[in-house]
Amino acid sequence: MKFRCERDLLLGVLSTAGRAVTGRGGALPVLSGVRLEANDNQLVATGSDLDLTIRSTIDVAVETAGATVVPARLISEIVRSLDVGAVEIEVTGDEARVTSGRSQFAVRTLPIDDFPRLDPPAGEQVSVPADDLAAGLKQVVLAASSDDARPILTGVLMTAEEGGLRLVATDSYRLAVRDLPDATVLGEGQKVLVPSRALGELIRVLGSAKEVHVRLGERDVTFDVAPEDGAKVQLTTRLIEGEFPNYRQLIPASYPNELTVGRETFLDAVRRVKLMAREATPLRLTLSEDSLELMAVTQDVGEAHEQLDASYSGAELTIAFNPDYLIAGIEAASGDEVTLQTLDALKPAVLRTSEGPDYLYLLMPVRVS
Amino acid sequence: MGGPRLHQTGAPNMSQRAHEVGAAQRRLRVLHLDIDAFFVAVEVLRDPSLRGLPVIVGGTGKRGVVAAASYEARAYGVHSAMPTSIARKRCPNAIFLHGDHGRYGEVSAKLHEVFRTVTPVIEPIALDEAFLDIGGAFRLFGDGAAIATTLRNRILDELGLASSVGVARNKLLAKLASEAAKPKASRDGTRPGRGVVVVAVEDELDFLHAHPIRGLWGVGPKTHERLAAIGVHTIGDLAKIPTDALCATLGRASGQHLSQLSMGIDDRPVVSGRGAKSISHEQTFPTDHHDLEALHGVVVRLADAVSARVRAASLAASTVQIKLRFGDFQTITRSVSPEDELTTATQFIKAASTLLNDPELVAAIEERGVRLLGLGAANLASPIGLQLSFDAQLDATNDVSSTAGGGSDADWAEVTETLDDIRARFGDAAIGPGRLVNAREPGPGRELWGPQADKR
């Protein structure tokens, strides 16, 4: 195998494919590598940890077709260190030679026969506008759990909802729900649970693409992204098996208290006051007529207060939140204004955006004495 | 010998402009305050008919010890840490009370509120005792004598408690000064103390040297014996011995330390004791326990008492400790710091049980028996709160979650709040853990000094 490629393009595909390489392979050392295949003037780089597989494809000048597996981290570091210009990679026996200008590296390859074979994606292909999906995923992925002890909560539920697509995630402290009314991905009544980590990677590659093609298999889902410039990316992830909790029952039917406040103003103030909410101290919000007061007190450190103009209807109430969870919700909400609806200091509060009913962020408070 | 000066200063008038405090007075910035017979005084407030009687608070079982004695009882030679059996012999007419540490904790919290009106730099030593650095308070409140008098009056007015205050240049002298200010017990009645003693810099050595060496930190029974053997009885005697000679008798570290103290040199600052503070209860059993089940019952009781004190002081613990003394007197401690801060008895029980269920420990308990069990809350700080979750609702459907039966921490926090309310209104005995309902009387379970221990 022998091919030539611009350093920046090569680094791009290696990095993208390398994001699936976690070293979690453990028993399978070859999974610490990235598979390179040169054929028909194309280079395909593949990284996988068995759960998630990312393939990145670019046009290159192929002299001899072939395939190999090279250590993912090492090859990326080498290519990144090179000067801008052409890079040549040639594999002979169990050695990959990387040449650029007067630099030369010889890297021992990994056994290619051990590398998992990925079945070609099955299922019918559906297309979704990339920017819609990216925006929706960003608003939801943040609420998914990263605790592997509760695998179901590490996923994002994708479900057909009134002809559109609904995305749902919760880590048991907050719940994010986003409707994409124009995206028809799933058949009526269909739902899948997709690992949030894979969707986080998908957001990264959606970038400048116009469309994303989705193919839903029995046990996995594949996303194909072809941006106008740059590498084509195919991302395949296994689906999480099991039943997502009944999130609908978490959302209270109505709220007696409703606060409306400018989103940027609110966000800036929360970030400021958070400076004094150290060591996991919560942020307290006091809601009263036409005003919102934020307060944080950390023992032995100090305190911060800020008062905001806001429109409020309801009973005077003090409620405390983890500031990071609150910030994540306000950031995700988008729009000029957000509304915060509450029942009392111990019940979930809901954050919505002035932009419309398509997004909801439900947040459990911190119980303070 | 020119004794310490007693300043008869009235309470400073707060509306006055900034106080002018002279340089000599500004050096006296350490204040030590101690409530007179604290546990007894709290009991008397609850039941004024006890006033003037010999009252002893402590464990009443076979191995119980005295926690506090009224001055009337002290006149009979009863003092704290004395086995209750001896106290009974010396003062058979005394009224013996089990004590109510939940209540003492509440009063202690109020006491600290009064301290905080003067300075934030407070080093708590015990529930009723603390060092205050008053260096930043002179301008507002006047000199040490004025601050001491203000504090003492406020504590008497607001809490109904008499206290003794010492003011001096350092901790050693301030502590000795507050002792000198205390009432003295005698068979003819209690002689009132001076209340406030200020040790001026020029009087320090005269004041210090008249004290017996027992008054110094670091002089235990052993050291006391060795020093007595070479004719050293007072701190003045000690000051006359060259440091080298002292080191030869007591060892280098101890010799140098005592030599410094005997000169009135003590550089330890007053440090706000947060983080170092702990709240603990322990129980000595009339007969050794070999049975883990019985110990779990004691854990419930101790956890109830300790957690009530932690909450009464508006604190939360990061660490739970258990202390075990085996039948052969070997004493061990184990501790654990769970992820969430602890305030409820349920949390303490869970943590302590985890420690107690260590197989190695279980084997030792069964083999050697347990004489004493203690439970402590450490790394105390203002509670930061408990992040609530959807788990309770999620559990109700289908997700497998981490909370195994018995309700979530949040549920227990709510229950505990209600429990505290009920106790505040109807007394500590009004409600308690179900496990303790059938505790035999007057069996070992009733000997604890805790919120639910019977009062009479």
Side-chain angles (χ1 to χ4, degrees):
Chain A
M1 181 178 90
K2 188 175 177 182
F3 66 86
R4 281 166 73 85
C5 178
E6 276 302 310
R7 175 246 189 208
D8 288 351
L9 290 175
L10 183 58
L11 183 59
V13 291
L14 290 174
S15 307
T16 302
R19 301 216 30 111
V21 179
T22 54
R24 290 201 293 194
L28 210 50
V30 75
L31 291 182
S32 67
V34 57
R35 184 181 191 277
L36 300 178
E37 180 168 359
N39 215 338
D40 298 334
N41 279 340
Q42 279 199 326
L43 172 70
V44 183
T46 309
S48 177
D49 71 350
L50 297 179
D51 287 341
L52 171 66
T53 302
I54 302 178
R55 292 155 61 102
S56 184
T57 308
I58 42 165
D59 294 335
V60 296
V62 177
E63 202 165 300
T64 325
T68 188
V69 179
V70 283
R73 167 108 45 101
L74 185 58
I75 193 79
S76 280
E77 283 173 2
I78 289 171
V79 173
R80 181 175 294 117
S81 75
L82 298 173
D83 286 336
V84 174
V87 181
E88 185 184 85
I89 294 185
E90 181 177 14
V91 178
T92 42
D94 59 357
E95 203 173 78
R97 212 185 340 258
V98 183
T99 314
S100 170
R102 287 192 281 184
S103 311
Q104 204 174 73
F105 294 80
V107 178
R108 186 68 60 86
T109 60
L110 296 164
I112 191 164
D113 292 339
D114 292 352
F115 201 86
R117 229 169 274 278
L118 194 65
D119 292 333
E124 194 189 335
Q125 178 172 308
V126 211
S127 299
V128 187
D131 49 358
D132 279 5
L133 187 63
L137 287 174
K138 271 184 203 159
Q139 289 177 306
V140 169
V141 164
L142 59 99
S145 173
S146 52
D147 180 3
D148 286 336
R150 306 181 71 180
I152 288 182
L153 299 189
T154 64
V156 171
L157 178 72
M158 292 183 153
T159 170
E161 189 76 20
E162 290 170 7
L165 177 67
R166 171 171 285 187
L167 308 171
V168 187
T170 179
D171 62 1
S172 86
Y173 305 116
R174 57 246 170 96
L175 167 82
V177 182
R178 169 69 205 260
D179 282 326
L180 298 167
D182 302 327
T184 315
V185 177
L186 302 166
E188 192 59 36
Q190 209 176 12
K191 55 183 177 182
V192 291
L193 195 51
V194 187
S196 60
R197 174 178 158 243
L199 295 175
E201 297 301 335
L202 179 61
I203 293 171
R204 295 175 71 97
V205 299
L206 282 176
S208 62
K210 272 209 177 78
E211 280 197 317
V212 52
H213 307 293
V214 186
R215 273 175 291 182
L216 186 61
E218 193 96 332
R219 291 221 165 80
D220 48 35
V221 59
T222 299
F223 301 90
D224 277 292
V225 185
E228 283 177 345
D229 49 346
K232 284 186 289 186
V233 179
Q234 183 181 75
L235 187 150
T236 301
T237 177
R238 72 170 173 93
L239 299 172
I240 298 172
E241 286 174 39
E243 191 74 12
F244 194 76
N246 178 5
Y247 66 94
R248 289 171 201 269
Q249 57 151 7
L250 300 178
I251 307 167
S254 66
Y255 292 89
N257 311 312
E258 182 172 313
L259 173 98
T260 304
V261 60
R263 194 177 71 91
E264 287 292 336
T265 323
F266 191 21
L267 191 56
D268 290 345
V270 171
R271 286 191 178 129
R272 263 194 297 275
V273 174
K274 176 188 180 266
L275 292 174
M276 281 299 173
R278 306 178 87 92
E279 294 155 26
T281 320
L283 199 87
R284 287 167 205 242
L285 278 66
T286 301
L287 318 172
S288 54
E289 209 177 322
D290 294 330
S291 122
L292 164 65
E293 195 185 344
L294 307 177
M295 181 182 75
V297 181
T298 305
Q299 189 179 350
D300 294 339
V301 179
E303 53 190 87
H305 296 260
E306 182 155 347
Q307 199 146 24
L308 294 174
D309 294 332
S311 74
Y312 182 65
S313 65
E316 183 166 330
L317 173 75
T318 296
I319 186 167
F321 296 110
N322 172 322
D324 292 326
Y325 292 172
L326 185 60
I327 288 172
I330 307 169
E331 278 178 342
S334 74
D336 293 339
E337 287 188 324
V338 289
T339 62
L340 181 72
Q341 298 169 311
T342 52
L343 279 163
D344 62 40
L346 302 177
K347 298 279 174 13
V350 70
L351 200 74
R352 294 177 197 270
T353 157
S354 56
E355 281 194 336
D358 293 340
Y359 184 59
L360 171 153
Y361 184 80
L362 191 71
L363 173 58
M364 279 306 267
V366 172
R367 185 184 200 287
V368 290
S369 47
Chain B
M1 200 180 301
R5 287 177 199 172
L6 171 62
H7 295 254
Q8 298 286 358
T9 324
N13 184 346
M14 303 283 228
S15 64
Q16 274 175 358
R17 57 186 174 77
H19 291 260
E20 298 284 335
V21 175
Q25 294 303 319
R26 299 184 77 89
R27 293 179 68 189
L28 309 181
R29 59 182 293 163
V30 179
L31 183 149
H32 180 259
L33 187 145
D34 194 1
I35 303 294
D36 300 339
F38 177 59
F39 294 171
V40 173
V42 174
E43 295 298 340
V44 171
L45 280 180
R46 198 205 314 258
D47 181 357
S49 72
L50 296 173
R51 192 177 298 281
L53 300 177
V55 177
I56 294 172
V57 175
T60 49
K62 216 165 70 178
R63 290 167 173 174
V65 293
V66 173
S70 69
Y71 287 95
E72 292 76 11
R74 291 185 202 188
Y76 293 88
V78 177
H79 55 79
S80 52
M82 168 183 278
T84 305
S85 52
I86 296 182
R88 269 189 208 285
K89 277 187 198 128
R90 292 201 179 168
C91 190
N93 299 328
I95 294 157
F96 285 82
L97 300 177
H98 288 296
D100 175 356
H101 281 255
R103 177 74 193 135
Y104 305 154
E106 287 166 24
V107 177
S108 174
K110 286 183 190 151
L111 184 63
H112 277 77
E113 278 170 32
V114 178
F115 291 163
R116 273 191 289 271
T117 62
V118 170
T119 171
V121 191
I122 300 160
E123 181 175 337
I125 302 297
L127 284 178
D128 66 319
E129 182 187 348
F131 284 108
L132 278 63
D133 184 338
I134 53 171
F138 294 136
R139 265 185 85 77
L140 273 176
F141 302 112
D143 64 8
I147 292 171
T149 310
T150 310
L151 273 176
R152 209 170 160 264
N153 290 343
R154 284 198 55 185
I155 292 165
L156 192 61
D157 292 348
E158 292 172 24
L159 305 178
L161 296 171
S163 57
S164 302
V165 191
V167 178
R169 199 167 47 83
N170 59 34
K171 283 178 158 181
L172 167 70
L173 293 161
K175 165 105 180 162
L176 290 174
S178 78
E179 261 163 42
K182 281 208 168 298
K184 295 284 179 296
S186 77
R187 290 273 180 168
D188 313 324
T190 306
R191 255 188 303 122
R194 286 182 286 173
V196 174
V197 168
V198 177
V199 185
V201 175
E202 62 270 25
D203 298 336
E204 279 175 2
L205 290 185
D206 285 344
F207 172 68
L208 183 65
H209 288 170
H211 276 81
I213 46 172
R214 272 292 173 118
L216 290 181
W217 278 293
V219 178
K222 268 258 170 63
T223 311
H224 189 255
E225 209 172 280
R226 281 188 200 158
L227 290 172
I230 56 170
V232 173
H233 301 285
T234 66
I235 298 175
D237 297 339
L238 190 65
K240 287 186 197 117
I241 312 254
T243 309
D244 290 349
L246 213 49
C247 290
T249 313
L250 302 174
R252 224 179 112 79
S254 185
Q256 280 183 345
H257 177 64
L258 287 184
S259 178
Q260 295 261 300
L261 290 182
S262 74
M263 309 293 188
I265 300 168
D266 175 17
D267 297 330
R268 293 166 307 164
V270 176
V271 272
S272 307
R274 292 171 190 149
K277 260 195 302 181
S278 71
I279 290 176
S280 64
H281 276 207
E282 54 187 48
Q283 184 178 359
T284 305
F285 310 118
T287 51
D288 295 349
H289 275 311
H290 292 263
D291 171 15
L292 198 65
E293 190 54 27
L295 289 182
H296 276 299
V298 179
V299 163
V300 170
R301 191 173 277 276
L302 294 173
D304 183 36
V306 168
S307 65
R309 275 182 61 196
V310 168
R311 293 191 302 273
S314 298
L315 293 170
S318 326
T319 304
V320 176
Q321 296 169 330
I322 58 165
K323 173 174 161 187
L324 286 173
R325 181 166 299 143
F326 292 109
D328 54 16
F329 274 88
Q330 191 211 350
T331 307
I332 59 154
T333 58
R334 294 275 186 279
S335 68
V336 62
S337 302
E339 204 175 304
D340 287 323
E341 57 179 12
L342 302 101
T343 52
T344 67
T346 320
Q347 290 174 305
F348 281 95
I349 294 166
K350 215 186 284 174
S353 300
T354 316
L355 292 171
L356 215 49
N357 285 336
D358 170 30
E360 225 171 276
L361 217 50
V362 172
I365 289 165
E366 285 170 358
E367 201 183 302
R368 293 152 67 191
V370 176
R371 185 186 163 80
L372 172 150
L373 176 65
L375 187 147
N379 291 327
L380 300 170
S382 296
I384 52 174
L386 177 68
Q387 170 68 55
L388 303 176
S389 83
F390 300 128
D391 281 340
Q393 288 107 302
L394 295 183
D395 277 349
T397 51
N398 39 32
D399 184 48
V400 185
S401 117
S402 51
T403 44
S408 69
D409 280 357
D411 292 340
W412 279 109
E414 217 153 317
V415 169
T416 302
E417 210 161 84
T418 310
L419 178 136
D420 287 345
D421 285 348
I422 292 172
R423 282 182 171 166
R425 292 176 60 189
F426 304 110
D428 291 336
I431 188 168
R435 174 141 195 172
L436 307 179
V437 167
N438 294 323
R440 279 164 294 124
E441 204 174 354
R446 306 302 282 174
E447 266 146 42
L448 176 83
W449 317 340
Q452 72 291 341
D454 53 345
K455 301 296 186 303
R456 294 293 116 89

